[in-house]
Amino acid sequence: MKNAETHLDAVHQHDGKTRRAVARLLLEQGPVTAAAVAEELGISPTAVRRHIDALLTDGEAITRDAPRQTQRGRGRPAKLFLLTDAGRARFGHAYDDLAVAAIRFLAQTGGEEAVRAFAQSRVDALVDRHRSAIVAQVTPAERAKALAAALTREGYASSARNVGVGEQLCQHHCPVAHVAAEFPQLCETETETFANLLGTHVQRLATIARGHAVCTTHIPNVQPGSAGKLIPDDGGEPA
């Protein structure tokens, strides 16, 4: 009987590790298909679907249809999966209700300028240790990739990819999303700092704090000082 219980504990522990690995892939790459997760983790699609179904049941993941242009054949649209706020909470938040209360107090006693100064101080502390590695890159595209790598090391699960008219910087996790939902100055100063680091104007297209799946920043294909036409800021999802 004891051996059976030990075996059952081991199975549950293994399942827990696998489910966390599945959740992390949804965090870092979502929206993503179950097949892509299975290929990345080297486990069967059936096993992945079992864990995704559990995440869906627990309210930690949601599903959506893949865009039609990515479909092949006439079959049913592939399903894409991504984490909800509850799912992201698996990976922790750097700020909690105490942080919100503290910034509220700061806003009441010091006003808008105090909140913005705090936000700037925070983002400066976040990027300063990576600044030299980022600005050493020559082009905005190369700097975007270096910035994505730096943000990933800071817990933002970031990536950068070319979208034809520029680079798209995606932050799949935001440790301060709950605070930024009430104090958008955190997002605004972050965007301004990114522009300074990358040496070009950038445009924030979506944020987790505003309810989107990913924080997305567009970096146009223009050199510093050049004029370029940017994608309209409609608050939409990344391309």
Side-chain angles (χ1 to χ4, degrees):
M1 184 69 173
K2 185 175 181 180
N3 288 339
E5 290 177 351
T6 301
H7 175 71
L8 189 59
D9 288 343
V11 170
H12 287 163
Q13 185 176 12
H14 180 268
D15 273 359
K17 289 181 178 179
T18 304
R19 187 158 305 163
R20 184 173 178 83
V22 170
R24 178 167 288 282
L25 259 293
L26 298 189
L27 170 72
E28 295 179 349
Q29 300 184 18
V32 65
T33 64
V37 174
E39 182 177 357
E40 180 74 19
L41 296 179
I43 59 179
S44 72
T46 301
V48 168
R49 283 307 304 262
R50 178 167 62 84
H51 289 295
I52 288 179
D53 286 344
L55 292 170
L56 291 169
T57 298
D58 292 342
E60 295 186 12
I62 56 174
T63 181
R64 63 176 58 162
D65 289 339
R68 285 289 177 182
Q69 60 265 30
T70 65
Q71 296 299 306
R72 297 180 179 177
R74 299 182 178 178
R76 293 167 55 188
K79 292 291 185 182
L80 299 176
F81 301 94
L82 63 154
L83 293 187
T84 62
D85 283 345
R88 291 190 187 99
R90 277 177 170 263
F91 301 94
H93 292 282
Y95 294 86
D96 56 12
D97 291 343
L98 179 61
V100 174
I103 300 178
R104 284 176 184 164
F105 178 79
L106 183 64
Q108 291 168 0
T109 56
E112 167 74 15
E113 289 186 5
V115 174
R116 188 164 292 276
F118 166 78
Q120 188 64 60
S121 174
R122 178 196 162 271
V123 73
D124 285 345
L126 178 72
V127 303
D128 273 353
R129 52 183 165 269
H130 308 288
R131 188 179 299 275
S132 60
I134 296 169
V135 300
Q137 306 304 313
V138 177
T139 67
E142 291 169 340
R143 290 185 178 186
K145 290 179 173 57
L147 176 57
L151 289 171
T152 294
R153 289 194 291 271
E154 296 293 340
Y156 284 78
S158 302
S159 61
R161 64 190 180 98
N162 184 271
V163 291
V165 294
E167 296 292 314
Q168 202 169 78
L169 175 70
C170 295
Q171 296 159 251
H172 298 271
H173 179 53
C174 177
V176 298
H178 292 161
V179 181
E182 183 169 343
F183 296 98
Q185 296 93 332
L186 294 176
C187 296
E188 293 164 2
T189 55
E190 184 179 89
T191 303
E192 293 165 3
T193 300
F194 287 176
N196 290 332
L197 279 172
L198 299 174
T200 183
H201 178 69
V202 304
Q203 196 161 32
R204 185 59 64 89
L205 302 180
T207 64
I208 294 172
R210 290 171 56 187
H212 299 107
V214 180
C215 294
T216 309
T217 305
H218 175 69
I219 302 106
N221 282 332
V222 293
Q223 294 299 322
S226 300
K229 186 177 181 181
L230 302 181
I231 297 172
D233 184 7
D234 59 2
E237 296 289 346

